[in-house]
Structures are given as structure tokens and as C-alpha cells.
């Protein structure tokens, strides 16, 4: 059932508690903490502007970092205040408490169109425990709850879920967009529907593989998890590439399901291999590409897909009308091993007739690094939350919102 959003509820002059994702990177400069990337703050502006258009009294809350239930000066949300104020063109007030007398007094004193930011929700021990007392204290500040923190929606915390037990609760505009692309769009995709999955571990992605095999026409598997599939299908040796025996039955189940459902499952046909790997120094030893059908020798490991795999995958991507991508094709953090991932990003960007959805985490980083972000239909802001949604799981921060 679709969830209620800002247009389904009366917000005029209401005190609205908005859970946002202001989990921004901070850096110390001249003894002061400053925000070094504004993306997450900018992402909340459509919701905040819609609320301001209703003359709502806006109370913002978010977590930042992992302060473990205690105040920690390096993880205060105070540095967000000047940034948000500048972006909105309005003064932004700050409460040095998340809940309590100061928060309450400031929330109750808000006038229509004013904005208050509460201190880091994770300074409260009750936040991650989803403590009903904290949920109630947050709810007492407001008359309506808006959840716009998609990236935290897979967690059942007080500020993401518990508070909705005590207030009418609806989606913000960012949350609504995430659900539209990562959920609704995939229920009835324009076909062919091509799913690209990469990343390190078969075990992390199996839920997504299994679910999307039920929806897709083609599933492309790259990254570290592809080697287990190559061993099963081609019987090649893997050297010291990423592989675990316990991944074999999982990969086999995916191969069987693809065959049963008539889904094309594409795996790499070549690889960039190296004889030395230093992730921290971002360096590889000797490298070369394997030929089609060639195994990976003892002591070497696969770190990227090769040019023949790029050709194979790009041809499928070019035919697609819907593409969803989660997970890099190789160790893209190391420039020498980033080509396969960037080539696939180019192939996705080049398909102007498909809806192209970048489903979170490292593929988002890769697309941004390749400067192709503005060529994609939608880029998710969630990591774990995107993955869980793609697996078909119900997210606590969404389940708690009112249905239309
Ligand atoms: P995930 O978080 O599961 O999407 O995995 C992303 C990580 O997988 C990135 O840090 C990549 O460096 C890593 N990765 C991708 N391909 C490989 C590979 N062939 N060998 C080792 N790690 C890989």
C-alpha cells in the first residue's frame, strides 16, 4: 500500500517533527568542526521548502556518527546550522538537547515558518534501543511526524520508527522518491529490465539476487562475487580471488532459479588479475587480463572485469528500458582496477531510453567518481536501506508510516 505523504495531511501552521539524514562528514578546521559535503543537507531541501510553503513550524532531528548514546562534542549537529541556514535563506535555531526542557521550550515557541534543529538523536541512550520513553518525548515536541531519512529507514530506532507510535506519520519527498524508484518502479518495470549486481560477497547480495531474479529479464553479476559463479559455470581455477566454498550452494541456487524462470544470467568472461594487492596503498603489483575461458593462476587474483565482459554486459544494458545497478564490478577504489566499473557506468549512462536507477552504496560512489551522476534517472541516498528494500524487506522507518 502506498504511504501518505506531505500532500495527504494538514500541515498548515502545524509543529512538524522531520527525521532527516544529516549524518554528514565533518572536519576540524581552525579548531571548529565544519561540514565538508553538503549533499545530504541539500537532499532534504524539497521537503523543507514544501513544509515552509505550508507555514509549518519545522523541528528537525537526525543522527550523526556513532556516539553510542552519550553526548560527544565532535559529533554535535551544531555545524549544520550555518549551512542549512544559508541554503534555506532563513535563520535556523538549535537546541543543544535532543529532548528535555530546552528542546520543548524552543519547539513550543516556534512561529509559523521557523526552523529548529535538535541535537544528535544518538546522544540519547534510548535512540538505538527504540526506547518508548524517548519516542514519547520526541513526539511531545510536535503534532505531525515526517520521515525523510531513507538512509536510516532500515533501522527501528526512536527517531526513525518509535516516534510514529505517538503521532500521525507520513513520508517526506525524498523518502517518497526513494520508494518510487527502488520499490514501485520495480514492481512493473518497463522491459527489458536489466539488473546489474556487483560487490564483494555473494552472501551479502543473495537476498537481492533471489528477489530480482523474480522480476528481471537479465541479471548481470560482476565484482568479487562473480568468481564463485565462474567456478560453477566454467569450472575455471580462481587463484586467490574472492571465493568461499559456502557461497557455492547460494550461487548454484541463483543459477537454477534463473534457468527455471528463463532469466538471462550473465557472468564475466574475463578478468583483470594481479599478483599483489595493497588496498590501503591503492596499489596493485603486476597486472594482466585473462583470455576468455582462461583460469586465474595460483597466487593471482581477479580485481576487475575485463574488456570482453564489458562488451557482453554493455550489449545487454544498451537494450534495456529499465536498469538497476548495485555494487561495483571490481576494486574500483584502486585506479588500475576501476576501468570495468567506470565502463559499465558509461554503458548505463549511454542508454538514454531506459530508466536508470543506481541502487545505493558503492555504485553511487563509482557513478559520482565517473562524473556521470546527472546522466542517471535516479541515484539512491541509501546504502543498507536500499539493499534491504531491493531484497523486498519491509523497512521499519517506512512500515510505521500511515497508508493512503
Ligand atoms: P559491496 O559493499 O558488497 O557492494 O562491495 C563493495 C566492495 O567490493 C568494494 O569495496 C570493492 O572494492 C569490492 N570488490 C569488488 N570487486 C572485487 C574483487 N574482484 N575482489 C575484491 N573485492 C572486490
Amino acid at each position: 500500500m502506498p504511504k501518505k505523504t506531505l500532500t495527504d495531511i494538514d500541515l498548515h501552521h502545524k509543529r512538524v517533527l522531520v527525521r532527516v539524514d544529516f549524518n554528514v562528514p565533518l572536519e576540524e578546521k581552525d579548531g571548529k568542526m565544519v561540514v565538508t559535503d553538503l549533499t545530504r543537507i541539500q537532499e532534504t531541501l524539497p521537503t523543507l521548502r514544501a513544509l515552509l510553503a505550508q507555514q509549518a513550524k519545522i523541528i528537525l532531528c537526525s543522527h550523526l556518527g556513532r556516539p553510542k548514546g552519550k553526548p560527544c562534542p565532535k559529533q554535535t549537529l551544531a555545524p549544520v546550522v550555518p549551512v542549512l541556514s544559508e541554503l534555506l535563506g532563513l535563520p535556523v535555531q538549535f537546541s543543544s538537547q535532543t529532548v528535555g526542557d530546552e528542546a520543548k521550550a524552543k519547539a513550543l515557541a516556534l512561529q509559523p515558518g521557523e526552523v529548529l534543529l535538535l541535537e544528535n538523536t544518538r546522544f540519547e541512550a534510548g535512540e538505538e534501543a527504540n526506547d518508548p520513553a524517548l519516542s514519547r518525548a520526541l513526539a511531545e515536541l510536535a503534532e505531525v511526524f515526517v520521515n525523510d531519512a531513507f538512509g536510516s529507514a532500515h533501522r527501528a530506532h526512536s527517531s526513525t520508527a518509535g516516534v510514529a507510535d505517538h503521532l500521525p506519520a507520513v513520508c517526506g519527498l525524498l523518502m517518497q522518491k526513494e520508494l518510487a524508484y527502488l520499490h514501485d518502479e520495480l514492481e512493473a518495470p518497463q522491459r527489458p529490465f536489466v539488473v546489474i549486481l556487483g560487490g564483494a560477497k555473494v552472501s551479502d547480495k543473495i537476498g537481492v539476487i533471489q528477489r530480482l531474479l523474480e522480476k528481471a529479464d537479465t541479471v548481470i553479476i560482476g565484482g568479487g562475487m562473480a568468481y564463485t559463479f565462474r567456478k560453477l559455470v566454467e569450472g575455471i581455477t580462481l587463484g586467490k580471488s574472492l571465493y568461499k566454498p559456502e557461497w557455492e550452494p547460494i550461487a548454484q541456487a541463483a543459477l537454477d532459479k534463473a534457468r527455471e524462470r528463463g532469466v538471462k544470467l550473465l557472468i564475466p568472461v574475463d578478468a583483470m588479475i594481479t599478483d599483489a594487492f595493497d588496498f590501503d596503498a591503492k596499489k596493485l603489483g603486476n597486472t594482466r587480463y585473462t583470455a576468455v575461458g582462461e583460469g586465474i593462476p595460483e597466487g593471482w587474483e581477479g580485481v576487475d572485469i575485463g574488456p570482453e565482459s564489458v562488451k557482453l554486459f554493455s550489449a545487454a544494458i544498451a537494450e534495456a528500458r529499465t536498469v538497476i545497478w548495485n555494487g561495483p564490478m571490481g576494486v574500483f577504489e584502486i585506479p588500475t582496477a576501476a576501468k570495468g566499473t567506470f565502463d559499465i557506468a558509461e554503458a548505463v549512462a549511454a542508454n538514454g531510453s531506459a530508466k536508470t536507477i543506481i541502487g545505493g552504496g558503492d555504485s553511487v560512489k563509482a557513478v559520482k567518481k565517473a562524473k556521470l551522476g546527472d546522466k542517471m534517472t535516479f541515484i539512491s541516498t541509501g546504502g543498507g536501506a536500499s539493499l534491504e528494500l531491493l531484497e523486498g524487506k519491509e523497512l521499519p522507518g517506512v512500515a510505521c508510516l500511515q497508508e493512503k
Side-chain angles (χ1 to χ4, degrees), residues 198-201 204-205 223-224 227 242 277 279 301-304 326-333 362:
K201 297 179 186 161
D204 284 356
K205 299 288 162 88
Y227 300 101
L242 269 189
F277 181 107
F279 189 83
E301 68 188 288
V303 286
D304 195 10
N326 180 294
M329 297 290 104
V331 190
F332 77 104
E333 298 93 335
D362 277 332

Side-chain angles (χ1 to χ4, degrees), residues 196-201 205 220-227 242 268 279 303-305 313 325-334 337-342 344-345 358-367:
I196 312 165
L197 295 172
K201 297 179 186 161
K205 299 288 162 88
I220 294 171
I221 307 255
M225 65 179 181
Y227 300 101
L242 269 189
F279 189 83
V303 286
D304 195 10
I305 56 172
F313 295 174
W325 181 15
N326 180 294
M329 297 290 104
V331 190
F332 77 104
E333 298 93 335
I334 302 180
K339 184 167 166 39
T341 299
F342 288 165
I344 293 305
I358 311 303
D362 277 332
S363 15
V364 172
K365 278 189 213 151
V367 164

Side-chain angles (χ1 to χ4, degrees), residues 36 42 45 52 56 105 155 175 211 246 266 279 293 296 311 346 367 401:
T36 55
Q42 283 160 335
L45 295 178
L52 288 169
R155 314 221 182 267
M175 177 74 89
R211 166 128 194 289
E246 62 264 33
L266 300 180
F279 189 83
I296 300 169
K311 259 190 232 162
E346 294 276 359
V367 164
L401 305 177

Side-chain angles (χ1 to χ4, degrees), residues 79 147 227 337 373 395:
N147 193 358
Y227 300 101
L395 309 181

